[in-house]
Amino acid sequence: GEPKIIMHGNHAFNLLCAKAPEFLRYDVEEYGALYNVLPIFHGFGLCINMHMCMMMRKTNIMCAKFDAKRSAKEIVRRKANILTGVPTMYLKLLARKEFTNADLSHIKDVFVGGDSAGEELISRFNAVLEKGGSPARMYEGYGLTETVTVCVVNTARHNKAGSIGYPLSDTEIAVAKDGKFLPAGEVGEICLSTPQFMLGYLDDDGYPFVEIDGRKWLKTGDCGYLDGEGFLYFKQRIKNMIKVSGVPVYPSEIERVAAGVKGVLKACAVGVPDGVKGQKVKLYVQAEEGGDALKENILAACREKLIAYAVPKEIVVRDKLPVSLIGKIDRKALEKENET
């Protein structure tokens, strides 16, 4: 959507940073430095990476612009204990021997968010951490700038594969449809209730809050479901959902399957106009090498693991996919290529 400036007060920042013991593997005293690659106009970069370091009296290793080779050397040389970032950052680190062949025993926690990481990336990164002697494992989290940043996260003590985490203290997660909460396992819009809410949007009357059962909730615009234990599973940003012959198709599921094919580095599925079906799936792939063989392997995986409506009708292989300033794949730029 259109960018907005979100206003927060001191209370929300301090409250979230005080929850550090909930998501860190060890006692705060055992940490010395965090590698800060996320920009500080981003909620996570400003709050967790910068503000939390000041509250904890820890070194904040600032990175003005991410460069995989330089960052790999800095992480190792400065012995960073905490890494936070988006999937693109970690993917690029995996291509640097300065990182993959280094002593990584100093790394205690690794968190990824902002985009779907995928099982293959998590598995590959964890293998490198283990090889380097690190006790850390990569864990996914979820949050919005409207809630400062992270409010749901997997941790070393409490995690479940495939989920994007469990809510931090004082945060409640619900899944709703038509103003009513849904039971575990049913897909709907993710709603959050937390004391970390924003003050509002700057110069904007937009107010994405609703009252359900007498409580204030934030409608996230994201689609997902909860399991019986309260872990959250992300399906798709609602506005990115593709409708093929009226059937909802989740780009994140297509991208996850494509990313599991050998040679695929990144994937982004978008809906493009179709005169018969309304929309059809077009898949953009960033790969080590292109060619018809790779496309056939992707199609075979999609036919095996997805419903027929979700199988891409077109696959485009590129050396690079566009990314935003934060490092996410720029889905909007790819969608604009197909506007008629």
Side-chain angles (χ1 to χ4, degrees):
E2 293 302 315
K4 295 184 178 183
I5 297 173
I6 290 173
M7 300 184 293
H8 273 291
N10 296 340
H11 176 70
F13 267 56
N14 293 337
L15 185 65
L16 178 55
C17 290
K19 295 178 182 180
E22 294 184 30
F23 51 82
L24 294 179
R25 179 183 290 262
Y26 303 105
D27 291 339
V28 170
E29 291 74 21
E30 297 186 42
Y31 292 83
L34 177 149
Y35 190 72
N36 188 359
V37 65
L38 291 171
I40 57 173
F41 62 73
H42 185 273
F44 204 104
L46 182 61
C47 183
I48 298 296
N49 286 4
M50 179 171 273
H51 193 65
M52 186 181 77
C53 280
M54 290 190 289
M55 287 183 66
M56 292 167 54
R57 299 176 179 86
K58 306 300 177 182
T59 299
N60 188 342
I61 307 166
M62 298 291 291
C63 172
K65 186 176 181 180
F66 180 73
D67 174 87
K69 182 177 181 179
R70 184 183 63 202
S71 294
K73 289 181 176 179
E74 279 290 282
I75 290 168
V76 174
R77 184 175 70 85
R78 301 292 297 274
K79 298 190 181 300
N81 305 132
I82 305 172
L83 303 183
T84 64
V86 295
T88 301
M89 165 191 159
Y90 293 116
L91 193 61
K92 290 182 177 179
L93 283 177
L94 286 175
R96 302 304 316 183
K97 291 182 180 179
E98 296 89 346
F99 185 81
T100 58
N101 291 339
D103 175 4
L104 305 178
S105 58
H106 51 86
I107 299 177
K108 301 178 186 295
D109 286 291
V110 177
F111 296 104
V112 62
D115 236 342
S116 178
E119 293 178 13
E120 185 182 4
L121 172 60
I122 293 173
S123 177
R124 286 176 60 198
F125 204 84
N126 284 343
V128 169
L129 290 170
E130 188 172 3
K131 173 189 169 188
S134 169
R137 295 297 177 265
M138 178 183 281
Y139 291 118
E140 287 191 272
Y142 170 84
L144 300 90
T145 313
E146 285 86 348
T147 62
V148 182
T149 176
V150 64
C151 51
V152 177
V153 66
N154 283 296
T155 69
R157 292 182 294 274
H158 198 207
N159 61 80
K160 186 175 281 191
S163 81
I164 54 173
Y166 191 85
L168 294 173
S169 59
D170 301 322
T171 296
E172 285 196 36
I173 310 292
V175 174
K177 187 175 182 180
D178 301 325
K180 295 182 180 179
F181 292 141
L182 301 176
E186 291 196 23
V187 176
E189 183 171 9
I190 299 169
C191 296
L192 304 174
S193 183
T194 174
Q196 297 161 206
F197 280 148
M198 66 177 181
L199 300 176
Y201 297 119
L202 182 66
D203 300 326
D204 191 315
D205 294 329
Y207 198 71
F209 297 106
V210 293
E211 187 173 302
I212 303 176
D213 293 344
R215 184 165 184 162
K216 181 180 176 182
W217 294 85
L218 170 71
K219 296 177 67 178
T220 65
D222 290 329
C223 195
Y225 67 94
L226 290 164
D227 68 10
E229 297 178 49
F231 280 89
L232 180 64
Y233 294 77
F234 179 82
K235 295 291 283 184
Q236 190 61 53
R237 186 79 182 150
I238 291 174
K239 66 181 180 182
N240 292 336
M241 193 183 298
I242 303 169
K243 284 285 188 77
V244 180
S245 297
V247 177
V249 170
Y250 302 106
S252 60
E253 293 184 349
I254 304 168
E255 292 155 7
R256 194 174 297 116
V257 170
V261 175
K262 186 177 180 180
V264 175
L265 299 177
K266 298 179 187 177
C268 182
V270 300
V272 299
D274 183 87
V276 177
K277 298 180 179 180
Q279 283 186 305
K280 61 183 179 181
V281 177
K282 185 172 183 178
L283 180 67
Y284 289 89
V285 170
Q286 181 176 322
E288 295 168 347
E289 293 182 5
D292 292 337
L294 178 64
K295 293 182 181 180
E296 285 301 321
N297 289 340
I298 294 170
L299 278 175
C302 289
R303 289 180 182 130
E304 178 187 352
K305 299 178 180 179
L306 300 171
I307 60 172
Y309 298 94
V311 175
K313 295 302 179 185
E314 184 179 357
I315 299 175
V316 178
V317 180
R318 292 184 175 171
D319 294 334
K320 286 186 178 180
L321 295 183
V323 296
S324 66
L325 288 172
I326 297 172
K328 297 181 185 181
I329 295 175
D330 193 340
R331 188 181 302 273
K332 200 170 183 180
L334 294 174
E335 289 173 342
K336 282 184 177 179
E337 292 184 12
N338 300 281
E339 290 179 356
T340 56

